[in-house]
Each structure stands twice: as structure tokens, then as C-alpha cells.
Amino acid sequence: MQGTNPPTATGGAPLLSLRGIDKSFGPVQVLHGVDLDVRAGEVTALVGDNGAGKSTLVKCIAGIYTTDAGEYFFEGRRVQVHGPRDTAELGIEVVYQDLALCDNLDIVQNMFLGREEKKGVLLDEPTMEEMARQTLASLSVRTVRSVRQLVSSLSGGQRQTVAIAKAVLWNSKVVLLDEPTAALGVAQTRQVLDLVRRLADNGLGVVLISHNLNDVFEVADNITALYLGRAAATVRTKDVTSSQVVELITAGRSGDMGIIDTSATAAV
Amino acid sequence: MSATPDSPTRNGDVAATAAKGPQDESARIAELARATASGGSPMAQPAEEPTFGEGIRAYITRLKGGDIGALPAALGLVVLFVLFAALRPDTFLTPINIANLMVQASSIIVLAMGLTFVLLLGDIDLSAGVAGGASAAVMALVMNDAGLGWYLSIPAALLTGLAFGTLIGMFVARVGIPSFVVTLAFFLGIQGITLWLIGEGGTIPVRDQVVVNIANGNVPVGLGWVFAVLAAAAYALITLGRWNSQRRRGLNRDNFILVVLRVVGVAVVLLGLTAVLSQNRARVPGIELAGVPYSVPIIGVLLVLLSIVLGRTAYGRHVYAVGGNAEAARRAGINVTRIRISVFMIGSTLAAFSGIIEASRLNSVAPGSGGGNTLLLGVGAAVIGGTSLFGGKGKVTNAVIGGLVIATITNGLGLMGQRAFVNFLVTGAVLLLAAAVDAISRRRRASASS
């Protein structure tokens, strides 16, 4: 792994680049020199088996974990990330699996939670509602009827939609989605995948963490497979088959792709 | 979720429509045209005003979904009024009894307003009643022993409450003891403080005219009318102004007729109450006793102020958020610890104010002030009014309606000459009923969302 080289990649300069990320928890090294590129307008899928380090990598990107080694580039500049506030300022938003919505608040209130628009000391509800409506309209959301519904009345897919809309409300540039379709039915998965695609079409860099290869092949432009804490390979979705990706996930390699040095995996 | 060509699609789904066959082809084309022209989202068009029927149906849907709010309490209040008016036609609906009822309800309502903040976080403050008693004792001592006026003794009492609340909040939010245990300890400890301040068997009289007037004085009739008309007009202006701005900006809003009905309802209640309380209610001929008791406008001001805090400020929004999902609130950057401490501070300060009103009503403070069933009446008022014991749901208005229900039960049973044990039994049963309604509607909310 070449730690210090600036990111080079195919298909335009990446919005977000990680180079040689190491992360250990005590004696256990979870990430070994991971590289990752996220480009504007593309969906990058992050796949890997349980324990491959997907969630750890996401939390490193989000600034929740500090990395032990490696470099973090944003829009070509090297940046230091010390916490979630830093990444939020850069325009990186994470939609976690458990969504973190308040059931007792409505959609607008949830989308602006903690960042309310104010007029003096009072809340500026009309402006917030307008901005929420514009955001949902820009994502062509057709499944939400009224932005003044309580979140408790929404279906799983609608909740996911609200959580994603909340993430893009702040002109964010990169959105990370942690298993957005894990708990959804067929129709709702469809809606959310459409939404994921639209995020990228609107020019955002999207990272999709998923176990479901059907979803990945449907919306992702690139796939980065993690294998035991290493980035086994980053491939264009159109260049690979599903079974090749399965091999990358389960064995770390497939044909001439993947980790060549098998002794490295033995050390884990 | 199909879209028909003539009705504006709110929930349209191209895929679903496409699957339905050729007869829906024109609908599908219309839908696709709309989708490509406007981004396909109903959010791209201004929100429409619901019709009267839609407004009513939406309300019924909310009720069925377990979001019942103050409806049972409001209905209960009407039933109680009808019941007691029928059973005691000569006494219950007389102006003097209505005035009594309002004064009796005042301290319960203020206590319940404070408890609403604590309950919104799913916590409980068992010490609120005795905190009010101890604060009133401090007030009485500052007035009598130190000889200072109400302008110093009332703030001293409120600060006492604030101090109790801050300590409770620290123990709950910083140390991490469940609020039930912390406030149970304070319930015992504060009674000790009151006893120590007043001395066993002693009673401190409250003679300061301003303090006595809170519960015993009346607003001059003319001024009372001015207040009532101004309040009704202000409510109408603000409500209609907000509705108009929502309409202009194409935002979600209620049906206009329903808004007008609400404005009229508030005006009728305000002016009707003023009319009843402005009649001469002196039992002795030749003496004029009329006007709205001072505690009523005081509660009105508190109601408006606290409703603004909870409903229209970021702080209030954060209180609801922490009560609904503390983890989500934390991730949104809200300081959950600070919010938790603050609700106990507000709760105990309002409890102190409730203690002042009670001391004013009784003209004295005793070691037992705020003990007994005071707290349970306060919690009962909040919960009967529709504030959830599980957190995240409730309003200050609920405390007012619930407090009136509790006071009406006490007042009506008293007029019927029932003995105290009946009062306890009935109030306990009503509290249990309200908590059951709360628990069941919570279950409905949970099942409605899955």
C-alpha cells in the first residue's frame, strides 16, 4: 500500500479519498491499510462479510473513530478529522442503520433536529417546512404525503427516506448509508434504491454499505470489497459478475483481482 | 397507491400504476408527465388545504392511531359538569362555586405544568409537592421573620424550588440515578427541611396582602373584561395570521373552518368564564364580590409562556426529542444531560409557585404543606390531561384541562357531602383510568407504526 501518494483513480477526481487507513482496538487490528475512493455522482458500494470492517471504516469516515494511520483527502485536500463535527462541516453525512429518528416528532421536526431554523428565539417553522419540502421534491420523493406527519405513522421505507432526506438537507456532498434496505420489503427496497440512485444523480458521492448483492448491482457504480480488514479490490460494477464479488467477499480474491499476497491474510 | 388522472396525485407510484394494465395507461402517462415535469414529488406543488371533511377524518385517524391528546379529559370535564350540575343544581354551577373551583384548581394546574416538563422526558418528580411546601415555608419565613415584602419572599421561594430542581437534575442526569429514586429521597428529605424550618406542630400565617390576593383577590371587573377581550383577540389574530402565511407559502395547514371554530371556541371559553366570574357572588346582600380571581390570569400567562417555550423554541423541541428518542437527540448534537437537568429545574420552580398559590389560598404554611396527596393530584392532572407517562408526548394545555378535572371531582364530591374516603377512591380510580388510557394508546401508536 502506498500511503503517501495522492489519490489517483479512474473516472475523475474523487470527492473523498482514504489512503492506507489502519485502525486497531487494543491488540486487534480491524483495518489494514484500507484505500477507498468516493466520487461525486457515483454510488460506491462497500461490501464484505461480517467482521470485515465495514462499520469500522464508516465510523472512521464519519469521524467517530480516529484512525491510527493513513490519510484522509476531501476534494483533493488532505484534512484532519477529529470528530463527527469536522466531517459534518466537510459535508459528510451518515445514515445509520437504526435511523435515529424521533417517533413523536413530525418529518420536518426530525429533519431539522438540532439545527433548527430560528427567527429570534422562536422557531421559524414555515422556512423549515419549505426547505424540507424542497429537499424531498429534489429527491423526487413520491411516497411521503405530508411533511407534517409524525414519524411514528411512517412505514420503514418512508422512515429511511426521511433519514436520507435529513442527511442531504444540509447541502452535504457525501452520504454514507449503512444497510439502508436491510429491514425493508420488496416495494420499499425499490423506493429506497431509487432514492439512492437519485442522490448520486444529483451529484452527491454515495457510499452504500450492503449485504445484498442484488441491491449493490442495481445501483452501485463501483464496488469496494473488504476482506478481513483489507480492501480486497475496487472494481467497476459493470466489469464484474455477482459470483466474482462473492469470491472477493469470501476469499479476498477472484481470478487476478483481490489480495495476491495470501500470507497477509494469514496474519489476521 | 394509485393515481387517477383527475385527482392530483399525492401518493402516486409510477411502478404500481404501470402494473395495473392498459385501462390505466392514460393515468400512467399523466402520472409520468407529472413526474418528469415537476420532479414527480407532491412536495413540488404547494400543499392543498384539506376540506372540512378531510380535516375531521384526519383528526379521527390520529385518534385511532393512539394520539388522543386531551380529548378524554375534555369530554370527562363536560361529563363531570353535567353530572354535578344535575346532582347539585343549586350549588354547583353558581358563580361563587365556579370561582372556588378555579382557585382550587390553580395550584394543581401549576404543579402539573411543571411535572409536564419532567414527564415529557419519561421521568418523574415525586418530590414536587413537598418542594412546593418547603418553598412556601421559605417565603413565609422571609416575610414574617426577616420582615421582607412579597417582592423578595416570592423570588426566595422560587429560588428554593430552583435549587431543589437543580440538585435533583444533577443526581439524575450526571450521577445517573433513576429519577424515581432520587425524587423519592428528596420527597423524604424536603419534608424534613420543612419540619425543621417551621418546627413541629407550628403553622406560619401568611398575611402579606399581595400574596394573599393571588388566590383570594379578584381582578376588577372592567379590567378582567379588557384582559379577556385582548387575549381572545390576540389568539384570533395570531392563529389566523399564521394560517394565512401558511396558505401564502403553500405549506401544510388546517381546514379554514376548523381554524375559525377553534378561534371561536377559545373566545367563547374566555369570555364566558369572564362573564360568570364578573357576576356579584357575595352571599351577603350589600357586599360586592365579583371579578376573576387573580390566579386565573396568572395561569393564563403561564399557559401562554410555557406553551411558547415547549412548542415554539428550539429548547422545547429538544425536550420532546430527548423524550422521544434520547439517542437520536444525542446524535443530532443535543446536550441530553443539560436538557434533563433543565426539566427538573423548571418542574421544581413551578412546584414552588404552586406552593405559593396554595399558601395564599390557605393563608398559612404548615409542616404538612405539599405532602399528602398533593403530588399525586399534580401527576394525575398531567396524565389525565393526556401527557404520557412514557415521555415524548404532552402539552401544557393538558395540565390545565387535567387540573380542572381533578378540582371538579374534589369540588363536586365536596358539594355532595361525600366523605373524604370517597374523594380519595374516585380520584385514585380516575388517575388509574387515565394511566390505562395512556398505556393503551401508546400500544396503539406502537402498532400503528409497524
mmCIF file of all heavy atoms in Angstrom, chain B residues 374-416:
data_model
loop_
_atom_site.group_PDB
_atom_site.id
_atom_site.type_symbol
_atom_site.label_atom_id
_atom_site.label_comp_id
_atom_site.label_asym_id
_atom_site.label_seq_id
_atom_site.Cartn_x
_atom_site.Cartn_y
_atom_site.Cartn_z
ATOM 1 N N THR B 374 -50.935 15.859 47.459
ATOM 2 C CA THR B 374 -50.670 16.994 46.565
ATOM 3 C C THR B 374 -50.004 16.551 45.270
ATOM 4 O O THR B 374 -50.435 16.880 44.169
ATOM 5 C CB THR B 374 -49.761 18.025 47.268
ATOM 6 O OG1 THR B 374 -50.304 18.294 48.545
ATOM 7 C CG2 THR B 374 -49.649 19.283 46.450
ATOM 8 N N LEU B 375 -48.906 15.777 45.428
ATOM 9 C CA LEU B 375 -48.147 15.385 44.244
ATOM 10 C C LEU B 375 -48.978 14.508 43.331
ATOM 11 O O LEU B 375 -48.981 14.683 42.115
ATOM 12 C CB LEU B 375 -46.888 14.628 44.660
ATOM 13 C CG LEU B 375 -46.213 14.095 43.410
ATOM 14 C CD1 LEU B 375 -45.282 15.109 42.835
ATOM 15 C CD2 LEU B 375 -45.577 12.786 43.609
ATOM 16 N N LEU B 376 -49.716 13.562 43.960
ATOM 17 C CA LEU B 376 -50.477 12.639 43.121
ATOM 18 C C LEU B 376 -51.555 13.373 42.341
ATOM 19 O O LEU B 376 -51.849 13.026 41.204
ATOM 20 C CB LEU B 376 -51.071 11.523 43.961
ATOM 21 C CG LEU B 376 -50.010 10.484 44.338
ATOM 22 C CD1 LEU B 376 -50.621 9.367 45.145
ATOM 23 C CD2 LEU B 376 -49.335 9.931 43.102
ATOM 24 N N LEU B 377 -52.117 14.425 42.942
ATOM 25 C CA LEU B 377 -53.092 15.221 42.197
ATOM 26 C C LEU B 377 -52.421 15.905 41.015
ATOM 27 O O LEU B 377 -52.989 15.989 39.925
ATOM 28 C CB LEU B 377 -53.751 16.255 43.116
ATOM 29 C CG LEU B 377 -54.640 15.696 44.228
ATOM 30 C CD1 LEU B 377 -55.309 16.828 44.988
ATOM 31 C CD2 LEU B 377 -55.686 14.754 43.673
ATOM 32 N N GLY B 378 -51.194 16.381 41.228
ATOM 33 C CA GLY B 378 -50.459 17.040 40.144
ATOM 34 C C GLY B 378 -50.149 16.077 39.013
ATOM 35 O O GLY B 378 -50.401 16.366 37.839
ATOM 36 N N VAL B 379 -49.589 14.916 39.369
ATOM 37 C CA VAL B 379 -49.286 13.907 38.341
ATOM 38 C C VAL B 379 -50.586 13.496 37.660
ATOM 39 O O VAL B 379 -50.656 13.388 36.427
ATOM 40 C CB VAL B 379 -48.585 12.685 38.969
ATOM 41 C CG1 VAL B 379 -48.391 11.597 37.924
ATOM 42 C CG2 VAL B 379 -47.250 13.077 39.559
ATOM 43 N N GLY B 380 -51.620 13.291 38.496
ATOM 44 C CA GLY B 380 -52.913 12.904 37.943
ATOM 45 C C GLY B 380 -53.422 13.930 36.952
ATOM 46 O O GLY B 380 -53.881 13.575 35.864
ATOM 47 N N ALA B 381 -53.299 15.209 37.301
ATOM 48 C CA ALA B 381 -53.776 16.259 36.401
ATOM 49 C C ALA B 381 -53.056 16.187 35.064
ATOM 50 O O ALA B 381 -53.675 16.242 34.004
ATOM 51 C CB ALA B 381 -53.576 17.632 37.046
ATOM 52 N N ALA B 382 -51.724 16.039 35.114
ATOM 53 C CA ALA B 382 -50.952 15.993 33.864
ATOM 54 C C ALA B 382 -51.352 14.774 33.039
ATOM 55 O O ALA B 382 -51.576 14.872 31.829
ATOM 56 C CB ALA B 382 -49.455 15.970 34.171
ATOM 57 N N VAL B 383 -51.449 13.620 33.697
ATOM 58 C CA VAL B 383 -51.708 12.385 32.951
ATOM 59 C C VAL B 383 -53.155 12.343 32.456
ATOM 60 O O VAL B 383 -53.419 11.957 31.320
ATOM 61 C CB VAL B 383 -51.381 11.163 33.830
ATOM 62 C CG1 VAL B 383 -51.757 9.878 33.117
ATOM 63 C CG2 VAL B 383 -49.904 11.149 34.159
ATOM 64 N N ILE B 384 -54.094 12.762 33.304
ATOM 65 C CA ILE B 384 -55.491 12.807 32.873
ATOM 66 C C ILE B 384 -55.620 13.736 31.677
ATOM 67 O O ILE B 384 -56.335 13.462 30.717
ATOM 68 C CB ILE B 384 -56.403 13.266 34.039
ATOM 69 C CG1 ILE B 384 -56.493 12.156 35.078
ATOM 70 C CG2 ILE B 384 -57.793 13.642 33.535
ATOM 71 C CD1 ILE B 384 -57.090 12.598 36.384
ATOM 72 N N GLY B 385 -54.859 14.845 31.710
ATOM 73 C CA GLY B 385 -54.910 15.784 30.591
ATOM 74 C C GLY B 385 -54.343 15.230 29.302
ATOM 75 O O GLY B 385 -54.512 15.825 28.252
ATOM 76 N N GLY B 386 -53.633 14.104 29.375
ATOM 77 C CA GLY B 386 -53.141 13.489 28.145
ATOM 78 C C GLY B 386 -51.639 13.491 27.987
ATOM 79 O O GLY B 386 -51.125 13.113 26.942
ATOM 80 N N THR B 387 -50.906 13.917 29.017
ATOM 81 C CA THR B 387 -49.452 13.836 28.956
ATOM 82 C C THR B 387 -49.040 12.397 29.263
ATOM 83 O O THR B 387 -49.508 11.811 30.232
ATOM 84 C CB THR B 387 -48.828 14.813 29.965
ATOM 85 O OG1 THR B 387 -49.164 16.133 29.569
ATOM 86 C CG2 THR B 387 -47.315 14.666 29.999
ATOM 87 N N SER B 388 -48.160 11.856 28.430
ATOM 88 C CA SER B 388 -47.811 10.443 28.573
ATOM 89 C C SER B 388 -46.792 10.234 29.683
ATOM 90 O O SER B 388 -45.859 11.011 29.845
ATOM 91 C CB SER B 388 -47.251 9.913 27.260
ATOM 92 O OG SER B 388 -46.808 8.607 27.429
ATOM 93 N N LEU B 389 -46.993 9.150 30.442
ATOM 94 C CA LEU B 389 -46.017 8.772 31.465
ATOM 95 C C LEU B 389 -44.755 8.200 30.829
ATOM 96 O O LEU B 389 -43.748 8.010 31.500
ATOM 97 C CB LEU B 389 -46.624 7.724 32.398
ATOM 98 C CG LEU B 389 -47.638 8.230 33.404
ATOM 99 C CD1 LEU B 389 -48.398 7.072 34.000
ATOM 100 C CD2 LEU B 389 -46.930 9.005 34.503
ATOM 101 N N PHE B 390 -44.825 7.881 29.544
ATOM 102 C CA PHE B 390 -43.697 7.226 28.892
ATOM 103 C C PHE B 390 -42.790 8.231 28.175
ATOM 104 O O PHE B 390 -41.814 7.855 27.547
ATOM 105 C CB PHE B 390 -44.207 6.182 27.894
ATOM 106 C CG PHE B 390 -45.106 5.165 28.530
ATOM 107 C CD1 PHE B 390 -46.472 5.278 28.459
ATOM 108 C CD2 PHE B 390 -44.561 4.103 29.235
ATOM 109 C CE1 PHE B 390 -47.304 4.352 29.061
ATOM 110 C CE2 PHE B 390 -45.387 3.174 29.844
ATOM 111 C CZ PHE B 390 -46.759 3.288 29.758
ATOM 112 N N GLY B 391 -43.144 9.505 28.257
ATOM 113 C CA GLY B 391 -42.279 10.531 27.708
ATOM 114 C C GLY B 391 -42.606 10.880 26.267
ATOM 115 O O GLY B 391 -43.213 10.109 25.538
ATOM 116 N N GLY B 392 -42.212 12.083 25.890
ATOM 117 C CA GLY B 392 -42.293 12.491 24.493
ATOM 118 C C GLY B 392 -43.622 13.045 24.039
ATOM 119 O O GLY B 392 -43.729 13.546 22.934
ATOM 120 N N LYS B 393 -44.647 12.932 24.864
ATOM 121 C CA LYS B 393 -45.969 13.374 24.425
ATOM 122 C C LYS B 393 -46.649 14.134 25.550
ATOM 123 O O LYS B 393 -46.759 13.611 26.653
ATOM 124 C CB LYS B 393 -46.812 12.166 24.027
ATOM 125 C CG LYS B 393 -47.873 12.456 22.985
ATOM 126 C CD LYS B 393 -48.507 11.172 22.524
ATOM 127 C CE LYS B 393 -49.463 10.592 23.526
ATOM 128 N NZ LYS B 393 -50.659 11.410 23.768
ATOM 129 N N GLY B 394 -47.107 15.326 25.247
ATOM 130 C CA GLY B 394 -47.795 16.103 26.270
ATOM 131 C C GLY B 394 -47.680 17.580 25.986
ATOM 132 O O GLY B 394 -46.809 18.015 25.237
ATOM 133 N N LYS B 395 -48.602 18.337 26.560
ATOM 134 C CA LYS B 395 -48.628 19.781 26.355
ATOM 135 C C LYS B 395 -48.963 20.444 27.672
ATOM 136 O O LYS B 395 -49.508 19.804 28.575
ATOM 137 C CB LYS B 395 -49.705 20.154 25.335
ATOM 138 C CG LYS B 395 -49.365 19.850 23.910
ATOM 139 C CD LYS B 395 -50.551 20.263 23.064
ATOM 140 C CE LYS B 395 -50.278 20.000 21.607
ATOM 141 N NZ LYS B 395 -51.479 20.186 20.826
ATOM 142 N N VAL B 396 -48.697 21.742 27.733
ATOM 143 C CA VAL B 396 -49.042 22.487 28.934
ATOM 144 C C VAL B 396 -50.559 22.596 29.059
ATOM 145 O O VAL B 396 -51.108 22.554 30.156
ATOM 146 C CB VAL B 396 -48.380 23.873 28.901
ATOM 147 C CG1 VAL B 396 -48.599 24.603 30.208
ATOM 148 C CG2 VAL B 396 -46.905 23.744 28.620
ATOM 149 N N THR B 397 -51.236 22.724 27.909
ATOM 150 C CA THR B 397 -52.707 22.793 27.931
ATOM 151 C C THR B 397 -53.292 21.583 28.651
ATOM 152 O O THR B 397 -54.280 21.705 29.376
ATOM 153 C CB THR B 397 -53.275 22.780 26.493
ATOM 154 O OG1 THR B 397 -52.309 23.328 25.633
ATOM 155 C CG2 THR B 397 -54.567 23.507 26.420
ATOM 156 N N ASN B 398 -52.675 20.410 28.425
ATOM 157 C CA ASN B 398 -53.184 19.199 29.067
ATOM 158 C C ASN B 398 -53.223 19.354 30.579
ATOM 159 O O ASN B 398 -54.139 18.863 31.233
ATOM 160 C CB ASN B 398 -52.303 18.004 28.716
ATOM 161 C CG ASN B 398 -52.234 17.736 27.234
ATOM 162 O OD1 ASN B 398 -52.850 18.451 26.454
ATOM 163 N ND2 ASN B 398 -51.501 16.736 26.840
ATOM 164 N N ALA B 399 -52.204 20.018 31.128
ATOM 165 C CA ALA B 399 -52.145 20.200 32.577
ATOM 166 C C ALA B 399 -53.332 21.029 33.055
ATOM 167 O O ALA B 399 -53.902 20.762 34.113
ATOM 168 C CB ALA B 399 -50.827 20.866 32.967
ATOM 169 N N VAL B 400 -53.711 22.035 32.262
ATOM 170 C CA VAL B 400 -54.832 22.892 32.660
ATOM 171 C C VAL B 400 -56.129 22.091 32.671
ATOM 172 O O VAL B 400 -56.881 22.100 33.657
ATOM 173 C CB VAL B 400 -54.947 24.102 31.699
ATOM 174 C CG1 VAL B 400 -56.153 24.946 32.056
ATOM 175 C CG2 VAL B 400 -53.673 24.928 31.756
ATOM 176 N N ILE B 401 -56.364 21.363 31.575
ATOM 177 C CA ILE B 401 -57.614 20.602 31.490
ATOM 178 C C ILE B 401 -57.638 19.512 32.560
ATOM 179 O O ILE B 401 -58.634 19.331 33.263
ATOM 180 C CB ILE B 401 -57.776 19.996 30.077
ATOM 181 C CG1 ILE B 401 -57.848 21.130 29.050
ATOM 182 C CG2 ILE B 401 -59.011 19.123 30.004
ATOM 183 C CD1 ILE B 401 -57.916 20.667 27.630
ATOM 184 N N GLY B 402 -56.513 18.797 32.717
ATOM 185 C CA GLY B 402 -56.449 17.751 33.733
ATOM 186 C C GLY B 402 -56.627 18.305 35.135
ATOM 187 O O GLY B 402 -57.316 17.706 35.970
ATOM 188 N N GLY B 403 -56.027 19.460 35.402
ATOM 189 C CA GLY B 403 -56.166 20.083 36.720
ATOM 190 C C GLY B 403 -57.604 20.456 37.001
ATOM 191 O O GLY B 403 -58.098 20.301 38.130
ATOM 192 N N LEU B 404 -58.302 20.928 35.965
ATOM 193 C CA LEU B 404 -59.717 21.271 36.140
ATOM 194 C C LEU B 404 -60.535 20.015 36.441
ATOM 195 O O LEU B 404 -61.447 20.041 37.281
ATOM 196 C CB LEU B 404 -60.251 21.974 34.889
ATOM 197 C CG LEU B 404 -59.796 23.420 34.707
ATOM 198 C CD1 LEU B 404 -60.246 23.966 33.366
ATOM 199 C CD2 LEU B 404 -60.334 24.291 35.838
ATOM 200 N N VAL B 405 -60.206 18.900 35.773
ATOM 201 C CA VAL B 405 -60.931 17.649 36.029
ATOM 202 C C VAL B 405 -60.769 17.245 37.490
ATOM 203 O O VAL B 405 -61.750 16.959 38.194
ATOM 204 C CB VAL B 405 -60.429 16.527 35.089
ATOM 205 C CG1 VAL B 405 -60.976 15.181 35.533
ATOM 206 C CG2 VAL B 405 -60.828 16.802 33.657
ATOM 207 N N ILE B 406 -59.515 17.250 37.965
ATOM 208 C CA ILE B 406 -59.243 16.844 39.344
ATOM 209 C C ILE B 406 -59.977 17.752 40.335
ATOM 210 O O ILE B 406 -60.633 17.293 41.274
ATOM 211 C CB ILE B 406 -57.723 16.907 39.621
ATOM 212 C CG1 ILE B 406 -56.992 15.882 38.755
ATOM 213 C CG2 ILE B 406 -57.442 16.729 41.099
ATOM 214 C CD1 ILE B 406 -56.671 14.607 39.430
ATOM 215 N N ALA B 407 -59.876 19.076 40.089
ATOM 216 C CA ALA B 407 -60.504 20.016 41.014
ATOM 217 C C ALA B 407 -62.018 19.872 40.984
ATOM 218 O O ALA B 407 -62.693 20.014 42.014
ATOM 219 C CB ALA B 407 -60.094 21.448 40.656
ATOM 220 N N THR B 408 -62.570 19.582 39.792
ATOM 221 C CA THR B 408 -64.026 19.421 39.693
ATOM 222 C C THR B 408 -64.499 18.209 40.489
ATOM 223 O O THR B 408 -65.532 18.256 41.172
ATOM 224 C CB THR B 408 -64.437 19.271 38.211
ATOM 225 O OG1 THR B 408 -63.909 20.369 37.483
ATOM 226 C CG2 THR B 408 -65.940 19.227 38.063
ATOM 227 N N ILE B 409 -63.722 17.120 40.412
ATOM 228 C CA ILE B 409 -64.096 15.930 41.188
ATOM 229 C C ILE B 409 -64.122 16.269 42.676
ATOM 230 O O ILE B 409 -65.104 16.004 43.390
ATOM 231 C CB ILE B 409 -63.100 14.780 40.914
ATOM 232 C CG1 ILE B 409 -63.227 14.307 39.469
ATOM 233 C CG2 ILE B 409 -63.339 13.630 41.883
ATOM 234 C CD1 ILE B 409 -62.172 13.306 39.073
ATOM 235 N N THR B 410 -63.029 16.887 43.149
ATOM 236 C CA THR B 410 -62.952 17.235 44.572
ATOM 237 C C THR B 410 -64.080 18.168 44.975
ATOM 238 O O THR B 410 -64.761 17.962 45.975
ATOM 239 C CB THR B 410 -61.595 17.913 44.855
ATOM 240 O OG1 THR B 410 -60.576 17.141 44.239
ATOM 241 C CG2 THR B 410 -61.329 18.016 46.329
ATOM 242 N N ASN B 411 -64.256 19.198 44.138
ATOM 243 C CA ASN B 411 -65.257 20.210 44.431
ATOM 244 C C ASN B 411 -66.670 19.613 44.421
ATOM 245 O O ASN B 411 -67.453 19.798 45.364
ATOM 246 C CB ASN B 411 -65.123 21.327 43.378
ATOM 247 C CG ASN B 411 -66.160 22.418 43.538
ATOM 248 O OD1 ASN B 411 -67.342 22.173 43.300
ATOM 249 N ND2 ASN B 411 -65.729 23.596 43.948
ATOM 250 N N GLY B 412 -66.988 18.847 43.385
ATOM 251 C CA GLY B 412 -68.332 18.290 43.247
ATOM 252 C C GLY B 412 -68.654 17.308 44.358
ATOM 253 O O GLY B 412 -69.740 17.351 44.948
ATOM 254 N N LEU B 413 -67.697 16.432 44.646
ATOM 255 C CA LEU B 413 -67.938 15.454 45.715
ATOM 256 C C LEU B 413 -68.102 16.157 47.052
ATOM 257 O O LEU B 413 -68.894 15.738 47.897
ATOM 258 C CB LEU B 413 -66.793 14.443 45.774
ATOM 259 C CG LEU B 413 -66.729 13.451 44.596
ATOM 260 C CD1 LEU B 413 -65.523 12.542 44.735
ATOM 261 C CD2 LEU B 413 -67.996 12.625 44.517
ATOM 262 N N GLY B 414 -67.344 17.239 47.227
ATOM 263 C CA GLY B 414 -67.482 18.015 48.459
ATOM 264 C C GLY B 414 -68.882 18.589 48.593
ATOM 265 O O GLY B 414 -69.502 18.530 49.661
ATOM 266 N N LEU B 415 -69.408 19.137 47.472
ATOM 267 C CA LEU B 415 -70.751 19.707 47.499
ATOM 268 C C LEU B 415 -71.793 18.640 47.811
ATOM 269 O O LEU B 415 -72.827 18.911 48.416
ATOM 270 C CB LEU B 415 -71.084 20.349 46.144
ATOM 271 C CG LEU B 415 -70.366 21.646 45.811
ATOM 272 C CD1 LEU B 415 -70.835 22.159 44.468
ATOM 273 C CD2 LEU B 415 -70.609 22.690 46.889
ATOM 274 N N MET B 416 -71.519 17.407 47.359
ATOM 275 C CA MET B 416 -72.481 16.341 47.600
ATOM 276 C C MET B 416 -72.366 15.790 49.009
ATOM 277 O O MET B 416 -73.065 14.841 49.373
ATOM 278 C CB MET B 416 -72.275 15.217 46.586
ATOM 279 C CG MET B 416 -72.639 15.669 45.173
ATOM 280 S SD MET B 416 -72.366 14.385 43.975
ATOM 281 C CE MET B 416 -73.431 13.109 44.612
#
